[in-house]
């Protein structure tokens, strides 16, 4: 039963990642300019585009949590973790909607994790 649930979750995560990545080729994906994100990007010498390339490298094995209901905006976000330049980076991404109802990709978090991360599909 556990393997069946993991397979279902893996397909769900894979579908989200494919949709998100596809959207990044249609519309710009911006990493929110929060202090933690900016500090991490500066330390790594990363641009917004470098962060998007890291997001493109995400696979279901990098999945940590989600979908999680966004309490501030409509929709759900997903959490991932991936090694970048030898350190674990916490990535929180979402397919958001503009005022016209059109989808766009957004990265809320790109920084070192502030809590232990689990990777149920790794």
């Amino acid at each position: 039963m556990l393997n069946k649930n993991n397979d279902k979750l893996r397909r769900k995560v894979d579908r989200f990642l494919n949709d998100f990545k596809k959207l990044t080729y249609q519309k710009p994906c911006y990493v929110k300019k929060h202090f933690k994100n900016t500090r991490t990007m500066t330390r790594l010498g990363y641009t917004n585009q470098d962060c998007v390339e890291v997001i493109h490298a995400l696979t279901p094995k990098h999945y940590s949590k989600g979908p999680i209901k966004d309490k501030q905006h409509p929709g759900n976000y997903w959490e991932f973790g991936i090694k970048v330049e030898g350190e674990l980076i916490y990535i929180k991404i979402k397919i958001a909607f503009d005022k016209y109802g059109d989808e766009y990709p957004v990265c809320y978090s790109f920084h070192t994790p502030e809590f232990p991360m689990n990777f149920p599909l790794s």
Side-chain angles (χ1 to χ4, degrees), residues 66-82:
I68 300 166
K69 180 147 180 64
D70 188 332
K71 295 176 183 170
Q72 297 177 351
H73 306 286
N76 299 307
Y77 60 85
W78 298 66
E79 298 178 349
F80 297 87
I82 189 170

Side-chain angles (χ1 to χ4, degrees), residues 35-93:
F35 173 74
K36 291 179 276 188
N37 297 343
T38 303
R39 180 180 60 199
T40 299
M41 290 169 67
T42 300
R43 187 177 70 254
L44 294 171
Y46 273 34
T47 64
N48 191 86
Q49 186 56 40
D50 293 325
C51 295
V52 172
E53 289 176 19
V54 170
I55 292 168
H56 284 173
L58 293 174
T59 67
K61 75 177 183 179
H62 301 111
Y63 166 81
S64 183
K65 292 182 186 174
I68 300 166
K69 180 147 180 64
D70 188 332
K71 295 176 183 170
Q72 297 177 351
H73 306 286
N76 299 307
Y77 60 85
W78 298 66
E79 298 178 349
F80 297 87
I82 189 170
K83 288 271 187 164
V84 175
E85 308 288 333
E87 68 178 290
L88 184 62
I89 298 296
Y90 165 74
I91 297 173
K92 181 165 69 172
I93 55 178

